[in-house]
């Protein structure tokens, strides 16, 4: 006898046939089952996981109860024995698959309306029940019509509808179903950006964590400034916000023609600070508007030679409510970048005078020479200066290459980290992209620029930069907070005073452990104040990168041995490393 | 100022890539006066005409390099606005000006051939530009 067909089914689902050869074993049937149920069982289980149950015919006194078949039983003979005269559909072998220990809804469940449910009545070993390998999908619709099998019985025969409701994978969300597909609009006010919320969360946690340490002093960073609430209302309405400051137009660029409604696209009234952007504290409306935008208050340099494109990009930056400056060729771009304070450069590649790649290389060269980002955070002031002056550890290099015209002014305040350069290229050639990346660009966008992408890039890179430039970020974010912090933290206590106080403490003889802990609290608190309210030029460790090291850096200038005792590993206070670590680290993020 | 035939006038045929052009329209705060996009579009029309003039001049002086630069320049803004047909011709001008073939990869030695091709492309660019310019003027109800 040649191939025979064998009925199998899953639980109450409709039966199906698999082919078996006369000398096949149950094990072979399992293989066939896996192939047959490729999408449901086969996706999750291997053949050996599957077990087959056979239900004897009613009133057959022969075999007694249903049982699970052993893998080595010859299937054809078995079927013949159980079902003389041939197996009927109703007598299909029942496929069992192991129960998942923790059936989980698909992680993609996201915003879909369907809820995944796991049948309550499913229990392992409950012979009558069939447990689907995947969480069953229950659409409310199906439920309402009662098509979902509610009573499971081995003999109840359900048709293909049951398959739909049991064995099916959850539907994939359509790839286009992203929620943020909207284009930015002036009137649009999304809820506060996740990023902002997130970082707010962080700093709140951070404060909560530290509060006990602060003793009687109130937390230096109060909750987020409240003004945005009312402000966002006015933004949601169609009334355009009053133009706080007209953007000083680039001499070359006509900003004419646009007035009236266009004003609502104005960025947050931050005046353009030509010489010290990013350093100067924003005017109040800026910090207010900031919280209801989704893009961090970064400073963007747009390099584009075509006025039409430039205009458009500018309008887009307005819409994103970020600050920007423009340059129309590479040389100009470098010059403008050198004024400092930029987080992001949108760099057209093909430019007159100096092309985008050359400009990028030049910026990177200057960054490297001025050690932007690389070591700036982990070196104390003195060492840093000495590096720059050419007599530090890297003295040779600095001496040779650092010409005065290459030195960036005000580098510590204005160049917190290497600028992100996003190349704008009209070409979609892979080689051009590689060239751009090789020149030092971080990313690229193909022209014509898709605004959705543009917004994403600005948001992503902007968030990153905002976090790196945490103090700048905070300044924007926490003007109100800062004021309050300054008020509460001993009024008028200057950096120097604080340092002197620290020095005084550290020059005292070693303390008892309790005293040391107290000091620690006080110190942490002071450092925190410095971070919140202090000017950029404060302690290096507190204002720039390299925070893990900052505790030592902060104190290095005092030069006392017991500093090490307090901070270093020599001190066995239980909170020592962990406290200073946690107190500082979250800010880094 | 507002268009009566708003919907029909949005049909620019294959002269305009609508998804690109629409994102310019989206920048308008006011659906009716379209001040911003109008400024951009008319700025482009002006820019294109000037560039075409420069191209003619460069063509006369057989300045391939300048032609390539001008082609690239106008390609940028026409692409931004989604004026794809204009953009395509500008790209050809850019490539031939750089003594490359249409794809921008192969080299061409024959300068006269390049100039001839640029001349063709420029004529085509102007033609398609005039079409799109007329459509735009109509769209913005200003002629």
């Amino acid at each position: 006898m040649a191939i025979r067909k064998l009925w199998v089914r899953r639980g109450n689902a409709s039966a199906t046939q698999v082919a078996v050869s006369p000398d096949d074993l149950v094990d072979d049937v399992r293989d066939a089952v896996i192939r047959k149920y490729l999408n449901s069982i086969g996706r999750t289980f291997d053949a050996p996981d599957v077990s087959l149950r056979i239900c004897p015919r009613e009133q057959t006194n022969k075999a007694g109860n249903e049982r699970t078949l052993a893998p080595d039983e010859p299937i054809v003979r078995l079927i013949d024995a159980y079902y003389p005269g041939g197996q009927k559909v109703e007598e299909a072998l029942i496929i069992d698959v192991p129960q998942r220990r923790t059936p989980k809804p698909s992680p993609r469940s996201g915003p879909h309306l369907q809820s995944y449910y796991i049948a309550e009545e499913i229990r392992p070993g409950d012979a009558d029940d069939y447990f689907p390998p995947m969480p069953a999908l229950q659409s409310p619709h199906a439920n309402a019509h009662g098509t979902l099998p509610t009573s499971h019985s081995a003999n109840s025969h359900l048709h293909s509808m049951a398959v739909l409701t049991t064995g099916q994978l959850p539907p994939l969300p359509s790839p286009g179903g992203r929620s943020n597909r909207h284009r930015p609009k002036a009137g649009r006010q999304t809820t506060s950006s996740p990023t902002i919320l997130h970082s707010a969360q962080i700093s709140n946690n951070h404060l909560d964590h530290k509060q006990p340490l602060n003793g009687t002093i109130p937390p230096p960073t109060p909750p987020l400034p409240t003004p945005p609430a009312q402000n966002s209302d006015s933004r949601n309405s169609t009334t355009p916000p009053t133009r706080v400051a007209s953007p000083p137009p680039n001499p070359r660029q006509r900003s004419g023609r646009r007035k009236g409604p266009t004003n609502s696209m104005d960025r947050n009234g931050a005046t353009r600070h030509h010489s010290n952007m990013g350093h100067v504290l924003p005017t109040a409306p800026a910090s207010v508007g900031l919280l209801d935008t989704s893009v961090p208050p970064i400073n963007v340099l747009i390099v584009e030679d075509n006025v039409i494109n430039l205009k458009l990009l500018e309008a887009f930056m307005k819409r994103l409510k970020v600050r920007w400056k423009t340059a129309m060729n590479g040389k100009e771009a470098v010059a403008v970048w050198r004024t400092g304070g930029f987080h992001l450069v949108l760099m057209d590649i093909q430019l007159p005078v100096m092309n985008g790649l050359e400009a990028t290389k030049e910026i990177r060269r200057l960054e490297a020479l001025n050690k932007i980002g690389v070591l700036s955070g982990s070196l104390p002031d003195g060492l840093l200066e000495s590096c720059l002056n050419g007599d530090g550890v890297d003295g040779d290099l600095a001496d040779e290459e650092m010409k005065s015209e290459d030195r960036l002014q005000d580098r510590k305040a204005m160049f917190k980290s290497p600028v992100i350069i996003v190349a704008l290229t009209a070409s979609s050639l892979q080689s051009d992209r590689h060239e751009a990346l090789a020149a030092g660009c971080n990313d690229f966008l193909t022209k014509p620029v898709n605004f959705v992408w543009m917004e994403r890039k600005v948001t992503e890179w902007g968030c990153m930069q905002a976090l790196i430039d945490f103090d700048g970020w905070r300044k924007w974010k926490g003007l109100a907070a800062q004021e309050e912090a300054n008020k509460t933290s001993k009024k008028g206590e200057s950096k120097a005073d604080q340092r002197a106080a620290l020095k005084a403490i550290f020059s005292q003889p070693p303390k008892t452990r309790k005293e040391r802990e107290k000091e620690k609290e006080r110190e942490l608190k002071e450092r925190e104040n410095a971070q919140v309210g202090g000017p950029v030029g404060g302690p290096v460790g507190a204002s720039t990168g390299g925070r893990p090291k900052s505790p030592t850096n902060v104190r290095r200038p005092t030069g006392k041995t017991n500093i090490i005792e307090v901070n270093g590993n020599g001190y066995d206070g239980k909170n020592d490393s962990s406290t200073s670590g946690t107190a500082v680290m979250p800010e880094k993020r | 100022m507002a268009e009566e035939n708003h919907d029909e006038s949005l049909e620019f045929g294959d002269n305009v890539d609508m998804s690109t052009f629409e994102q310019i329209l989206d920048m308008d705060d006011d659906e009716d006066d379209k001040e911003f996009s109008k400024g951009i579009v008319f700025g482009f029309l002006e820019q294109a005409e000037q560039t075409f003039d420069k191209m003619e001049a460069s063509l006369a002086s057989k300045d391939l390099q300048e032609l390539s630069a001008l082609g690239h320049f106008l390609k940028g803004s026409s692409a931004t606005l989604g004026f794809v047909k204009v953009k395509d011709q500008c790209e050809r001008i850019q490539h031939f000006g750089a003594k490359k073939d249409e794809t921008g990869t192969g080299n061409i030695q024959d300068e006269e051939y390049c100039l001839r091709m640029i001349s063709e492309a420029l004529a085509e660019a102007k033609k398609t530009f005039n079409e799109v310019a007329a459509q735009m003027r109509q769209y913005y109800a200003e002629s």
Side-chain angles (χ1 to χ4, degrees):
Chain A
M1 197 156 67
I3 304 286
R4 273 181 53 173
K5 295 281 192 164
L6 179 70
W7 287 106
V8 293
R9 66 181 156 95
R10 304 178 60 193
N12 298 310
S14 143
T16 185
Q17 285 190 314
V18 294
V20 288
S21 306
D23 48 354
D24 272 357
L25 301 180
V26 170
D27 195 40
D28 300 304
V29 181
R30 299 198 296 195
D31 287 340
V33 164
I34 289 289
R35 282 195 297 274
K36 193 87 177 189
Y37 290 92
L38 211 53
N39 280 316
S40 50
I41 303 176
R43 189 166 288 200
T44 335
F45 297 102
D46 298 324
D49 298 331
V50 177
S51 57
L52 294 168
R53 256 183 306 131
I54 192 163
C55 297
R57 273 186 189 160
E58 311 269 326
Q59 273 88 38
T60 318
N61 39 14
K62 185 183 169 191
N65 283 331
E66 64 172 58
R67 65 181 184 90
T68 300
L69 302 177
D72 57 347
E73 293 182 73
I75 187 69
V76 172
R77 233 187 298 162
L78 196 79
I79 291 293
D80 286 343
Y82 268 79
Y83 308 118
Q87 184 198 28
K88 298 199 187 90
V89 185
E90 308 85 62
E91 295 159 345
L93 297 182
I94 296 159
I95 303 162
D96 284 323
V97 286
Q99 180 180 10
R100 277 187 159 184
R101 214 145 280 268
T102 49
K104 281 185 199 143
S106 154
R108 300 185 226 93
S109 56
H112 294 269
L113 286 174
Q114 299 97 328
S115 62
Y116 299 103
Y117 98 119
I118 290 125
E120 296 177 308
E121 61 268 49
I122 291 162
R123 286 175 297 278
D126 189 337
D128 281 348
D129 276 327
Y130 156 67
F131 185 72
M134 299 298 291
L137 173 75
Q138 179 187 36
S139 83
H141 191 66
N143 201 22
H145 290 278
T147 48
L148 200 85
T150 45
S151 76
H152 291 250
S153 125
N155 287 329
S156 71
H157 185 95
L158 290 171
H159 291 282
S160 47
M161 264 317 286
V163 176
L164 286 180
T165 50
T166 53
Q168 203 198 20
L169 290 168
L172 289 168
S174 101
R178 300 202 46 169
S179 52
N180 54 351
R181 296 194 89 200
H182 56 260
R183 299 199 178 100
K185 286 224 166 216
R188 161 188 76 108
Q189 276 313 328
T190 53
T191 53
S192 324
S193 111
T195 312
I196 289 169
L197 285 178
H198 189 58
S199 54
Q201 189 75 35
I202 288 170
S203 62
N204 283 344
N205 288 345
H206 172 47
L207 288 173
D208 289 343
H209 180 73
K210 282 207 295 185
Q211 241 158 11
L213 295 172
N214 279 338
T216 55
I217 308 268
T221 311
L224 296 173
T226 43
Q230 73 242 25
N231 191 49
S232 65
D233 284 341
S234 73
R235 273 160 199 280
N236 280 333
S237 72
T238 49
T239 328
T242 47
R243 188 177 205 130
V244 182
S246 70
N250 192 308
R252 282 170 311 280
Q253 156 238 342
R254 306 154 299 168
S255 69
R257 280 211 216 153
R258 282 183 281 135
K259 53 186 171 76
T262 355
N263 284 357
S264 64
M265 301 194 312
D266 204 351
R267 66 221 146 89
N268 296 308
T271 37
R272 218 188 281 203
H273 303 289
H274 276 275
S275 56
N276 46 6
M277 261 195 293
H279 188 50
V280 166
L281 294 180
T283 48
S287 72
V288 158
L290 183 152
L291 283 163
D292 49 74
T293 57
S294 54
V295 178
I298 53 168
N299 199 359
V300 181
L301 173 59
I302 307 170
V303 190
E304 166 67 65
D305 64 322
N306 192 312
V307 275
I308 299 290
N309 293 354
L310 194 59
K311 258 185 177 176
L312 210 58
L313 289 172
E314 281 189 285
F316 196 67
M317 291 305 134
K318 271 187 195 167
R319 190 143 301 197
L320 291 179
K321 302 196 177 4
V322 300
R323 293 167 294 161
W324 80 93
K325 268 190 169 182
T326 59
M328 294 192 62
N329 63 55
K331 207 160 201 160
E332 206 185 323
V334 176
V336 177
W337 169 81
R338 287 186 70 141
T339 63
F342 290 100
H343 301 98
L344 185 66
V345 179
L346 300 172
M347 179 82 80
D348 189 15
I349 290 307
Q350 256 182 298
L351 292 167
V353 187
M354 178 195 263
N355 77 30
L357 295 181
E358 285 161 3
T360 301
K361 284 177 190 160
E362 175 67 6
I363 288 175
R364 294 303 183 215
R365 185 183 74 87
L366 291 173
E367 279 179 346
L369 280 179
N370 286 274
K371 305 211 171 3
I372 307 293
V374 188
L375 294 165
S376 59
S378 51
L379 289 177
D381 297 35
L383 188 47
L384 220 154
E385 288 309 319
S386 65
C387 276
L388 282 179
N389 294 332
D391 53 14
V393 280
D394 286 330
D396 300 345
L397 181 82
D399 251 348
E400 262 175 61
E401 296 185 23
M402 194 72 160
K403 297 181 219 131
S404 60
E405 72 253 33
D406 286 345
R407 190 158 304 160
L408 297 171
Q409 298 301 310
D410 204 5
R411 61 169 290 292
K412 262 198 298 169
M414 302 309 288
F415 300 92
K416 290 283 173 52
S417 65
V419 73
I420 298 292
I421 303 181
V422 177
L424 304 179
T425 158
S427 149
S428 52
L429 290 179
Q430 199 70 21
S431 58
D432 289 358
R433 297 180 173 185
H434 288 159
E435 208 183 342
L437 295 179
C441 295
N442 302 77
D443 204 344
F444 48 80
L445 278 172
T446 309
K447 293 202 285 184
V449 172
N450 178 309
F451 288 175
V452 177
W453 276 102
M454 171 72 88
E455 187 184 13
R456 276 188 210 161
K457 295 287 186 208
V458 173
T459 308
E460 286 168 13
W461 288 116
C463 285
M464 208 184 91
Q465 288 287 62
L467 291 173
I468 291 171
D469 182 12
F470 196 80
D471 287 322
W473 167 245
R474 269 200 127 144
K475 268 187 206 142
W476 283 87
K477 195 173 121 190
L479 253 201
Q482 191 181 25
E483 267 163 26
E484 198 164 327
N486 285 343
K487 239 184 278 165
T488 53
S489 80
K490 306 162 191 161
K491 275 182 193 161
E493 186 181 348
S494 68
K495 275 279 100 61
D497 290 340
Q498 286 182 10
R499 268 200 202 124
L502 275 179
K503 209 165 184 173
I505 292 163
F506 290 138
S507 54
Q508 284 165 18
K511 304 273 169 55
T512 64
R513 182 172 148 175
K514 221 173 193 161
E515 278 170 327
R516 277 188 236 150
E517 276 174 2
K518 247 191 184 161
E519 261 165 39
K520 183 139 227 46
E521 284 170 19
R522 185 196 147 110
E523 210 210 278
L524 282 169
K525 166 194 77 206
E526 270 167 5
R527 195 184 315 144
E528 193 175 39
N529 288 343
Q531 280 166 2
V532 173
V536 181
V540 175
S543 61
T544 49
R547 273 172 218 282
K549 288 186 176 177
S550 59
T552 20
N553 290 336
V554 172
R555 275 166 225 112
R556 191 172 290 168
T558 63
K560 298 287 175 188
T561 44
N562 49 358
I563 295 163
I564 294 155
E565 200 183 340
V566 173
N567 292 292
N569 298 327
Y571 173 58
D572 65 351
K574 58 180 190 297
N575 286 332
D576 181 54
S577 57
S578 62
T579 314
S580 56
T582 45
V584 175
M585 282 307 286
E587 308 234 318
K588 165 85 171 168
R589 295 197 293 135
Chain B
M1 193 81 139
E3 271 80 46
E4 282 86 37
N5 53 345
H6 184 271
D7 281 346
E8 295 97 286
S9 59
L10 261 178
E11 300 297 325
F12 299 117
D14 49 4
N15 281 328
V16 179
D17 173 54
M18 280 317 290
S19 65
T20 308
F21 187 60
E22 264 168 9
Q23 64 178 16
I24 316 273
L25 294 181
D26 277 359
M27 301 284 280
D28 284 322
D29 297 283
D30 188 332
E31 290 278 319
D32 288 327
D33 74 1
K34 302 192 189 68
E35 197 165 351
F36 176 76
S37 68
K38 190 171 155 185
I40 290 281
V41 167
F42 281 84
F44 171 78
L45 299 185
E46 201 179 309
Q47 181 190 72
E49 274 163 8
Q50 288 167 2
T51 310
F52 287 145
D53 289 346
K54 285 187 196 165
M55 283 176 174
E56 292 288 3
S58 302
L59 201 54
S61 61
K62 302 190 176 184
D63 187 345
L64 281 176
Q65 206 183 334
E66 177 68 8
L67 281 165
S68 181
L70 290 168
H72 172 78
F73 177 77
L74 197 58
K75 181 179 85 168
S77 43
S78 53
T80 297
L81 288 174
F83 298 168
V84 283
K85 282 185 162 180
V86 177
K87 185 209 92 178
D88 289 345
Q89 297 308 323
C90 290
E91 192 166 45
R92 290 181 68 199
I93 294 170
Q94 181 195 350
H95 288 327
F96 286 122
K99 294 200 268 181
K100 306 262 184 187
D101 64 13
E102 305 219 6
T103 61
T105 47
N107 288 316
I108 299 173
Q109 295 304 321
D110 188 350
E111 293 197 3
E112 285 304 317
Y113 172 77
C114 288
L115 287 168
R116 211 162 52 240
M117 295 307 288
I118 288 173
S119 167
E120 263 178 38
L122 180 55
E124 185 61 30
K126 282 180 171 176
K127 187 177 146 239
T128 186
F129 166 78
N130 286 332
E131 279 174 31
V132 83
Q135 284 170 330
M136 286 297 154
R137 291 206 169 94
Q138 193 202 339
Y139 178 64
Y140 287 102
E142 187 186 299
S143 48

